[in-house]
């Protein structure tokens, strides 16, 4: 379902938890950039709804979403948070698996770490 990834990401960035829930499958799996894993709608929603409001100065810039058939999508984006009073930008690629009804079933997050 083209557009589901953009809708999901916009809802995460704007803290629209009702829309996030509409976009995700019951058995969603999120594998974070540090090996952290959250499985199932309840566990994932508890995590994301707690984390996002705590990120000071948060902003997301979506560069591109590429859909591969009906089951996979790649999102290229950057996230910025305030760290020690200064913005820190992190380029990322998110890999999405979509289930048969077009909902997000899995999200794998890959980040580029800043150099010294």
């Amino acid at each position: 379902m083209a557009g589901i990834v953009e809708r999901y990401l916009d809802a995460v960035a704007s803290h629209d938890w009702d829309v996030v829930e509409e976009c995700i499958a019951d058995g969603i799996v999120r594998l974070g950039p540090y090996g952290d894993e959250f499985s199932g709608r309840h566990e994932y929603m508890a995590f994301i709804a707690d984390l996002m409001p705590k990120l000071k100065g948060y902003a997301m810039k979506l560069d591109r979403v590429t859909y591969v058939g009906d089951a996979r999508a790649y999102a290229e984006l950057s996230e910025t948070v305030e760290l020690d009073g200064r913005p820190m930008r992190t380029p990322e690629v998110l890999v999405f698996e979509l289930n048969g009804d077009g909902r997000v079933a899995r999200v794998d997050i890959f980040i580029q770490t800043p150099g010294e």
Side-chain angles (χ1 to χ4, degrees):
M1 171 198 257
I4 190 68
V5 169
E6 293 90 340
R7 186 170 183 238
Y8 163 83
L9 291 171
D10 182 60
V12 168
S14 64
H15 306 171
D16 190 337
W17 309 127
D18 291 335
V19 173
V20 171
E21 279 203 84
E22 291 173 14
C23 293
I24 64 173
D26 289 336
I28 187 168
V29 174
R30 177 215 182 255
L31 185 60
Y34 306 104
D36 49 312
E37 184 174 324
F38 296 89
S39 299
R41 177 185 299 268
H42 179 74
E43 183 179 358
Y44 174 71
M45 288 302 302
F47 162 73
I48 198 79
D50 179 61
L51 171 69
M52 295 304 294
K54 293 178 181 175
L55 299 176
K56 189 171 183 178
Y58 180 83
M60 179 190 298
K61 180 182 179 288
L62 181 61
D63 294 316
R64 169 180 25 206
V65 176
T66 304
Y67 288 87
V68 181
D70 293 330
R72 187 173 297 267
Y74 300 90
E76 299 170 58
L77 57 89
S78 62
E79 291 183 295
T80 301
V81 296
E82 188 177 307
L83 189 62
D84 296 326
R86 298 173 52 191
M88 184 179 96
R89 181 181 164 274
T90 305
E92 305 176 17
V93 171
L94 281 59
V95 179
F96 291 87
E97 287 183 22
L98 308 175
N99 68 8
D101 66 0
R103 292 180 186 216
V104 175
R106 183 179 177 100
V107 181
D108 291 281
I109 301 170
F110 300 89
I111 65 171
Q112 291 180 347
T113 55
E116 293 192 32

